[in-house]
Amino acid sequence: MKNLTTYRITVLLLFFLLCIPFIQSTTKDWQLGPVQTFVFDLSTEQVDQLFRYQNENDYLAKIMTQPRPIASFSDEWKERPEQGHFVYAKIHRNEVTLHYTPAIPFQVFLISEYGRLTLQVIDVEGNLRHDATVRIKNYQLVEKDKPYKDYNDTPVPYDKLSQTYHVEESSRNRNRILTVELDGFTAFLKLYKNIPYRYSSSGGWGNSIPSFYSYLVTDKNKYKPGETVRFKSYALSGSRNPMHEPLNVWLSETYSQGNIISKIKPNHPGNYTGEIELTDSLDITLDKNYYIQLKDKKGKIVASTWFRYEEYELFDNKLQVKLQSPIQYHPENNVLEIHAIDANGLTLPDAHAETCITARNIKSVYEDCYILPDTILRESLQLDNEGPTQLPVPAYWFGKANLEYQIEITVSTPDHQPLSNTLPITFYYSHNEIKATLEGNQVKFELLKKGKPEACDAWIHFDYDKSTRKKSDYPIQNPLNSSGKDIQYIFWISIFLKAFPPIHW
């Protein structure tokens, strides 16, 4: 009997051990199951309520207990409608996430403009639509964790001239809702406005509305005693309208203190200009920075800037010398332009220039007796105080010859800083050349006579093979291929065009 019992226990143990793999293979772990997404649809009224909540999950969690899903998918919703408001409920393991996803049958393009909201609406066929209803909704939060209530509703009209929906818009509300209704469907879009912070004179950054939008600039960043500070400003009020009222000009060593120098009126709305002569009566000290401030009648700072007041010497003056053309052809005259400027780019006053033009290399002569002095011109010039000074260089100075000449300019500044420059120039009494240029996929050869295209007869042959010589239309144009052979072929064209006698000059 004991042996029989032992036998039965052994058989049961063997059966249990054999069944364990089968049990494990048929048991599913819910944590390893696929991600499933269920789709719920929303009405326009429900979406409007959804956008009123600061946290949309609070509202979605409430309405998800009401309807049944209209669809479900694991990877992609393949039969998604072209329009509608949907909520995706994604289930993964023991977590459920809700997400609002609309299908909008048109596109809304926002155009970046200062002080206004501008947009265009384009349907699925690419047509610019002018029959949409566009509105901006501003919501106000009543209580924490409660929905927003309507604050105001701003329509955005359509402008036929610009073919855009636009409205002047200066709201400081960062988060608003844009609704666009077209062909019976309303799209809800979140508008986020980036509002820069303003620095307060009392210290710290604030988010209050600026009193003014403005800039103030001077003609230089540092001045010497006796010089005149010239400034200009453009100022808008806090509502971004150009200012009309007169402003007081303050000069101070610190930002918060100073003295009134003058009062200025706008030349045009928002446009102010003025001057401050730096005399001893201002009681200012060398080697210090000073503020220029424009203040309104209430003492508020509309615009400000600063400059350096010191006795300085400019050693970074510059001499700018330009020629009308680096190559001069007879009988055209050349023009030399001389301009001495300081470190701020302003013309140096009372500057003198010594100009010397000399012949360098005579290449060819076209008359039996040719005489040209080494120094063609030496002249002292009083430079213009208002801008560049021009000096004509006539062609008859060089006679009937091809040569190179050189212009040397030395300028003496009021602070006795020497400035100099040298320019080489080529002069042609007679000159012909063949110029090769690329036009698309073709190379073009043409004869230039004194730098200008000249009609002529032309012959051409390839790779020194005289049997290929033929007369060609002028100018010569030939297709350009990418092979190395064609590059060599073009090279020989240019040489033999120069060599053959049918081109005369």
Side-chain angles (χ1 to χ4, degrees):
M1 188 69 178
K2 183 178 181 179
N3 293 336
L4 180 62
T5 302
T6 303
Y7 175 75
R8 289 177 176 176
I9 293 173
T10 303
V11 171
L12 289 173
L13 288 173
L14 290 173
F15 178 78
F16 180 73
L17 292 174
L18 291 173
C19 290
I20 285 177
F22 175 77
I23 294 173
Q24 291 179 341
S25 64
T26 56
T27 301
K28 294 184 179 179
D29 187 353
W30 63 271
Q31 293 186 354
L32 302 178
V35 178
Q36 191 73 10
T37 302
F38 295 91
V39 182
F40 300 82
D41 61 343
L42 299 179
S43 64
T44 302
E45 292 74 16
Q46 288 177 315
V47 177
D48 182 66
Q49 290 293 324
L50 172 64
F51 275 82
R52 294 170 185 259
Y53 277 80
Q54 190 174 17
N55 185 358
E56 65 177 24
N57 287 331
D58 294 343
Y59 180 70
L60 290 176
K62 293 181 180 180
I63 65 174
M64 293 307 297
T65 60
Q66 300 175 4
R68 291 185 177 184
I70 61 173
S72 65
F73 59 91
S74 297
D75 298 324
E76 182 183 359
W77 190 11
K78 297 182 179 179
E79 298 180 356
R80 175 178 171 176
E82 294 183 357
Q83 67 180 48
H85 301 284
F86 307 106
V87 176
Y88 287 178
K90 182 181 291 185
I91 302 176
H92 181 52
R93 297 185 178 180
N94 62 339
E95 295 183 358
V96 178
T97 56
L98 304 177
H99 181 64
Y100 167 69
T101 303
I104 303 176
F106 49 82
Q107 292 180 303
V108 179
F109 293 93
L110 287 177
I111 301 173
S112 178
E113 283 194 295
Y114 181 79
R116 65 165 55 186
L117 175 72
T118 306
L119 59 91
Q120 289 184 324
V121 180
I122 300 178
D123 60 21
V124 292
E125 297 180 355
N127 299 317
L128 193 63
R129 300 293 293 268
H130 58 83
D131 54 341
T133 302
V134 184
R135 311 186 76 87
I136 300 175
K137 292 181 177 291
N138 290 278
Y139 294 136
Q140 183 183 29
L141 186 63
V142 181
E143 297 178 8
K144 188 176 181 181
D145 300 329
K146 294 293 182 65
Y148 292 91
K149 73 172 185 179
D150 284 335
Y151 183 64
N152 58 29
D153 195 347
T154 306
V156 183
Y158 182 79
D159 180 59
K160 293 182 180 180
L161 183 62
S162 62
Q163 296 186 331
T164 61
Y165 297 85
H166 71 83
V167 63
E168 299 297 328
E169 209 283 313
S170 59
S171 171
R172 302 287 294 181
N173 192 347
R174 292 177 179 271
N175 299 291
R176 293 166 300 159
I177 306 301
L178 178 71
T179 63
V180 181
E181 182 180 355
L182 181 66
D183 297 335
F185 182 84
T186 303
F188 293 78
L189 305 169
K190 290 185 177 181
L191 284 178
Y192 177 76
K193 189 172 187 179
N194 184 21
I195 301 176
Y197 287 90
R198 181 173 65 94
Y199 188 77
S200 172
S201 60
S202 61
W205 293 90
N207 191 25
S208 58
I209 299 176
S211 300
F212 307 99
Y213 298 87
S214 62
Y215 71 86
L216 175 63
V217 294
T218 57
D219 58 343
K220 298 194 297 182
N221 57 8
K222 58 182 177 180
Y223 297 87
K224 297 189 294 185
E227 292 188 328
T228 299
V229 180
R230 297 176 177 86
F231 62 86
K232 63 179 179 180
S233 174
Y234 190 77
L236 304 177
S237 64
S239 58
R240 297 186 180 91
N241 295 317
M243 298 189 62
H244 296 78
E245 65 179 277
L247 299 177
N248 294 321
V249 181
W250 287 66
L251 183 65
S252 62
E253 185 178 341
T254 61
Y255 194 79
S256 58
Q257 299 178 351
N259 299 313
I260 298 178
I261 303 300
S262 62
K263 178 180 287 189
I264 56 175
K265 296 181 180 180
N267 304 320
H268 302 285
N271 185 8
Y272 296 84
T273 59
E275 296 182 352
I276 302 175
E277 189 176 354
L278 302 179
T279 61
D280 295 338
S281 61
L282 295 178
D283 194 22
I284 54 179
T285 308
L286 288 171
D287 301 324
K288 288 188 177 181
N289 297 332
Y290 285 89
Y291 290 96
I292 300 176
Q293 297 172 336
L294 303 183
K295 297 184 179 182
D296 64 3
K297 59 184 179 181
K298 296 181 180 180
K300 292 184 178 181
I301 299 175
V302 176
S304 67
T305 188
W306 63 273
F307 65 90
R308 181 72 175 175
Y309 182 60
E310 63 180 27
E311 187 69 62
Y312 64 92
E313 293 184 6
L314 288 176
F315 292 103
D316 45 1
N317 297 329
K318 296 179 182 179
L319 176 60
Q320 295 180 344
V321 180
K322 294 188 295 184
L323 275 169
Q324 183 178 348
S325 175
I327 300 177
Q328 182 177 357
Y329 297 99
H330 181 275
E332 301 294 334
N333 297 332
N334 216 337
V335 178
L336 175 67
E337 187 177 280
I338 307 171
H339 194 196
I341 59 176
D342 61 17
N344 299 302
L346 302 176
T347 302
L348 288 174
D350 302 325
H352 294 78
E354 295 291 334
T355 305
C356 182
I357 301 178
T358 56
R360 306 296 296 173
N361 181 24
I362 299 177
K363 299 180 178 180
S364 55
V365 177
Y366 296 88
E367 58 183 345
D368 296 334
C369 181
Y370 179 77
I371 300 175
L372 184 69
D374 292 337
T375 301
I376 302 173
L377 175 71
R378 185 181 297 275
E379 185 175 350
S380 179
L381 298 174
Q382 174 68 45
L383 298 185
D384 191 347
N385 290 334
E386 301 297 328
T389 301
Q390 292 186 342
L391 175 66
V393 183
Y396 71 82
W397 283 358
F398 310 103
K400 297 180 180 180
N402 295 344
L403 56 92
E404 295 175 354
Y405 66 93
Q406 180 176 283
I407 300 179
E408 297 180 16
I409 302 98
T410 302
V411 172
S412 177
T413 63
D415 54 1
H416 306 291
Q417 180 186 357
L419 301 174
S420 62
N421 206 336
T422 302
L423 293 178
I425 305 98
T426 302
F427 174 81
Y428 287 112
Y429 178 79
S430 177
H431 181 68
N432 300 278
E433 65 174 332
I434 293 177
K435 182 180 180 182
T437 56
L438 288 176
E439 295 184 356
N441 63 342
Q442 290 189 336
V443 61
K444 176 181 177 181
F445 297 92
E446 57 184 342
L447 173 66
L448 298 183
K449 188 173 184 179
K450 293 185 178 181
K452 298 179 181 180
E454 182 81 6
C456 66
D457 295 330
W459 276 258
I460 184 171
H461 71 251
F462 315 117
D463 296 336
Y464 288 115
D465 185 1
K466 295 183 179 180
S467 63
T468 63
R469 178 179 176 180
K470 63 179 181 179
K471 190 173 182 179
S472 175
D473 294 334
Y474 181 83
I476 298 175
Q477 290 181 313
N478 193 78
L480 176 65
N481 298 323
S482 59
S483 64
K485 180 179 178 181
D486 274 352
I487 295 174
Q488 182 182 13
Y489 153 75
I490 294 168
F491 176 75
W492 293 125
I493 289 177
S494 63
I495 288 180
F496 280 94
L497 273 173
K498 291 180 180 179
F500 275 109
I503 299 179
H504 299 285
W505 59 80

